[in-house]
Amino acid sequence: MGRVRYLLNVLGKNINMKNTITIVFLFLSSLGLAQNWTTDINNAKATAAEQNKPIVLVFSGSDWCAPCIKLDKNVWQSEEFKAFATEKLVLLRADFPKKKANALPEALQTANKALAEKYNQEGYFPLVVVLDAKGKVLAKKGYENQNAAKYVAELQALLQ
């Protein structure tokens, strides 16, 4: 704590200990619940193998698919899902935005298309695919309008 206070003083921020503790707590809390979505299947597989976790691959249309946007807002961004995912999952996203302003780099578009050819040939959005560390499909789940607690419970059941 002394180092944090020293750094804040050096930076010209003269704050009391209570505020320092609050800032440090909030920072550490955000680290613990940060989601680490990757867009690289090989990275996801390596992490899944290293941590002995399944991969949750999400196909979404972030700027045009209303159910995708709802799923992101109601589930992926919820504290309940973040806590569950941090402990139990490797998160992989394949996004297919349509607006020019949201266009992905060409290499990422190509990688996402390859993922879709392998795991989402039907073209469903959103689609959640649970994979093992080798990329084998364990389960698929489409969209259902449900809260984060119910969604997490269903994911847990799929992982059993």
Side-chain angles (χ1 to χ4, degrees), residues 36-89:
N36 292 316
W37 289 92
T38 185
T39 55
D40 183 323
I41 183 70
N42 294 321
N43 184 8
K45 286 178 181 179
T47 303
E50 177 183 306
Q51 297 178 4
N52 195 29
K53 295 179 181 179
I55 300 166
V56 168
L57 167 57
V58 177
F59 289 94
S60 68
S62 62
D63 64 2
W64 59 270
C65 169
C68 300
I69 295 165
K70 279 185 177 180
L71 187 60
D72 183 59
K73 181 181 176 190
N74 297 336
V75 177
W76 307 143
Q77 292 182 32
S78 73
E79 296 305 316
E80 186 163 2
F81 178 78
K82 289 177 184 179
F84 171 69
T86 298
E87 195 170 310
K88 303 282 185 185
L89 305 172

Side-chain angles (χ1 to χ4, degrees), residues 79-143:
E79 296 305 316
E80 186 163 2
F81 178 78
K82 289 177 184 179
F84 171 69
T86 298
E87 195 170 310
K88 303 282 185 185
L89 305 172
V90 174
L91 302 174
L92 175 62
R93 186 181 308 257
D95 192 21
F96 293 83
K98 289 187 177 179
K99 295 179 182 173
K100 267 190 176 179
N102 301 329
L104 302 174
E106 194 170 321
L108 186 52
Q109 289 180 36
T110 302
N112 288 351
K113 286 177 186 174
L115 286 172
E117 288 171 10
K118 184 168 185 174
Y119 297 111
N120 190 6
Q121 293 175 350
E122 303 85 4
Y124 294 139
F125 287 88
L127 180 65
V128 176
V129 183
V130 181
L131 307 168
D132 69 11
K134 294 181 181 176
K136 178 183 172 198
V137 175
L138 303 175
K140 288 186 177 186
K141 180 170 174 42
Y143 175 74

